PDB file of all heavy atoms in Angstrom:
ATOM      1  N   LYS Q  46      13.579 -49.943   2.661  1.00 95.00           N
ATOM      2  CA  LYS Q  46      14.458 -50.300   3.779  1.00 95.00           C
ATOM      3  C   LYS Q  46      15.232 -49.087   4.280  1.00 95.00           C
ATOM      4  O   LYS Q  46      15.345 -48.851   5.483  1.00 95.00           O
ATOM      5  CB  LYS Q  46      15.450 -51.373   3.325  1.00 95.00           C
ATOM      6  CG  LYS Q  46      14.805 -52.666   2.915  1.00 95.00           C
ATOM      7  CD  LYS Q  46      15.836 -53.618   2.334  1.00 95.00           C
ATOM      8  CE  LYS Q  46      15.167 -54.851   1.773  1.00 95.00           C
ATOM      9  NZ  LYS Q  46      16.131 -55.759   1.135  1.00 95.00           N
ATOM     10  N   ILE Q  47      15.753 -48.302   3.347  1.00 96.00           N
ATOM     11  CA  ILE Q  47      16.578 -47.154   3.733  1.00 96.00           C
ATOM     12  C   ILE Q  47      15.718 -46.030   4.302  1.00 96.00           C
ATOM     13  O   ILE Q  47      16.067 -45.406   5.304  1.00 96.00           O
ATOM     14  CB  ILE Q  47      17.395 -46.670   2.531  1.00 96.00           C
ATOM     15  CG1 ILE Q  47      18.332 -47.791   2.090  1.00 96.00           C
ATOM     16  CG2 ILE Q  47      18.184 -45.422   2.856  1.00 96.00           C
ATOM     17  CD1 ILE Q  47      19.015 -47.535   0.793  1.00 96.00           C
ATOM     18  N   ALA Q  48      14.568 -45.762   3.671  1.00 96.00           N
ATOM     19  CA  ALA Q  48      13.700 -44.676   4.132  1.00 96.00           C
ATOM     20  C   ALA Q  48      13.172 -44.948   5.538  1.00 96.00           C
ATOM     21  O   ALA Q  48      13.123 -44.035   6.382  1.00 96.00           O
ATOM     22  CB  ALA Q  48      12.545 -44.484   3.155  1.00 96.00           C
ATOM     23  N   GLU Q  49      12.802 -46.179   5.815  1.00 96.00           N
ATOM     24  CA  GLU Q  49      12.295 -46.490   7.145  1.00 96.00           C
ATOM     25  C   GLU Q  49      13.392 -46.396   8.188  1.00 96.00           C
ATOM     26  O   GLU Q  49      13.152 -45.995   9.326  1.00 96.00           O
ATOM     27  CB  GLU Q  49      11.617 -47.859   7.144  1.00 96.00           C
ATOM     28  CG  GLU Q  49      10.383 -47.836   6.259  1.00 96.00           C
ATOM     29  CD  GLU Q  49       9.361 -48.888   6.595  1.00 96.00           C
ATOM     30  OE1 GLU Q  49       9.582 -49.665   7.540  1.00 96.00           O
ATOM     31  OE2 GLU Q  49       8.323 -48.911   5.928  1.00 96.00           O
ATOM     32  N   ARG Q  50      14.624 -46.726   7.815  1.00 96.00           N
ATOM     33  CA  ARG Q  50      15.741 -46.578   8.742  1.00 96.00           C
ATOM     34  C   ARG Q  50      15.982 -45.103   9.051  1.00 96.00           C
ATOM     35  O   ARG Q  50      16.279 -44.735  10.192  1.00 96.00           O
ATOM     36  CB  ARG Q  50      16.992 -47.209   8.148  1.00 96.00           C
ATOM     37  CG  ARG Q  50      18.126 -47.257   9.139  1.00 96.00           C
ATOM     38  CD  ARG Q  50      19.346 -47.959   8.599  1.00 96.00           C
ATOM     39  NE  ARG Q  50      19.033 -49.254   8.048  1.00 96.00           N
ATOM     40  CZ  ARG Q  50      19.393 -49.657   6.831  1.00 96.00           C
ATOM     41  NH1 ARG Q  50      20.076 -48.840   6.046  1.00 96.00           N
ATOM     42  NH2 ARG Q  50      19.083 -50.852   6.398  1.00 96.00           N
ATOM     43  N   MET Q  51      15.829 -44.231   8.037  1.00 96.00           N
ATOM     44  CA  MET Q  51      16.032 -42.796   8.255  1.00 96.00           C
ATOM     45  C   MET Q  51      14.967 -42.232   9.198  1.00 96.00           C
ATOM     46  O   MET Q  51      15.265 -41.401  10.057  1.00 96.00           O
ATOM     47  CB  MET Q  51      15.999 -42.038   6.932  1.00 96.00           C
ATOM     48  CG  MET Q  51      17.151 -42.319   6.003  1.00 96.00           C
ATOM     49  SD  MET Q  51      18.740 -41.935   6.716  1.00 96.00           S
ATOM     50  CE  MET Q  51      19.405 -43.565   7.006  1.00 96.00           C
ATOM     51  N   ILE Q  52      13.726 -42.671   9.049  1.00 96.00           N
ATOM     52  CA  ILE Q  52      12.657 -42.176   9.921  1.00 96.00           C
ATOM     53  C   ILE Q  52      12.865 -42.683  11.349  1.00 96.00           C
ATOM     54  O   ILE Q  52      12.628 -41.961  12.321  1.00 96.00           O
ATOM     55  CB  ILE Q  52      11.281 -42.561   9.355  1.00 96.00           C
ATOM     56  CG1 ILE Q  52      11.055 -41.813   8.041  1.00 96.00           C
ATOM     57  CG2 ILE Q  52      10.174 -42.242  10.341  1.00 96.00           C
ATOM     58  CD1 ILE Q  52       9.819 -42.201   7.296  1.00 96.00           C
ATOM     59  N   THR Q  53      13.356 -43.923  11.486  1.00 96.00           N
ATOM     60  CA  THR Q  53      13.652 -44.439  12.821  1.00 96.00           C
ATOM     61  C   THR Q  53      14.754 -43.635  13.481  1.00 96.00           C
ATOM     62  O   THR Q  53      14.696 -43.347  14.685  1.00 96.00           O
ATOM     63  CB  THR Q  53      14.050 -45.926  12.728  1.00 96.00           C
ATOM     64  OG1 THR Q  53      12.989 -46.645  12.093  1.00 96.00           O
ATOM     65  CG2 THR Q  53      14.307 -46.510  14.098  1.00 96.00           C
ATOM     66  N   LEU Q  54      15.762 -43.224  12.711  1.00 96.00           N
ATOM     67  CA  LEU Q  54      16.812 -42.360  13.250  1.00 96.00           C
ATOM     68  C   LEU Q  54      16.239 -41.010  13.667  1.00 96.00           C
ATOM     69  O   LEU Q  54      16.635 -40.442  14.694  1.00 96.00           O
ATOM     70  CB  LEU Q  54      17.924 -42.158  12.225  1.00 96.00           C
ATOM     71  CG  LEU Q  54      18.862 -43.333  11.975  1.00 96.00           C
ATOM     72  CD1 LEU Q  54      19.788 -43.021  10.808  1.00 96.00           C
ATOM     73  CD2 LEU Q  54      19.655 -43.654  13.224  1.00 96.00           C
ATOM     74  N   ALA Q  55      15.313 -40.479  12.860  1.00 96.00           N
ATOM     75  CA  ALA Q  55      14.719 -39.170  13.169  1.00 96.00           C
ATOM     76  C   ALA Q  55      13.896 -39.219  14.445  1.00 96.00           C
ATOM     77  O   ALA Q  55      13.779 -38.206  15.150  1.00 96.00           O
ATOM     78  CB  ALA Q  55      13.853 -38.704  12.008  1.00 96.00           C
TER      79      ALA Q  55
END
Side-chain angles (χ1 to χ4, degrees):
K46 297 174 187 177
I47 298 170
E49 295 203 1
R50 188 176 309 128
M51 292 301 108
I52 293 174
T53 303
L54 286 173

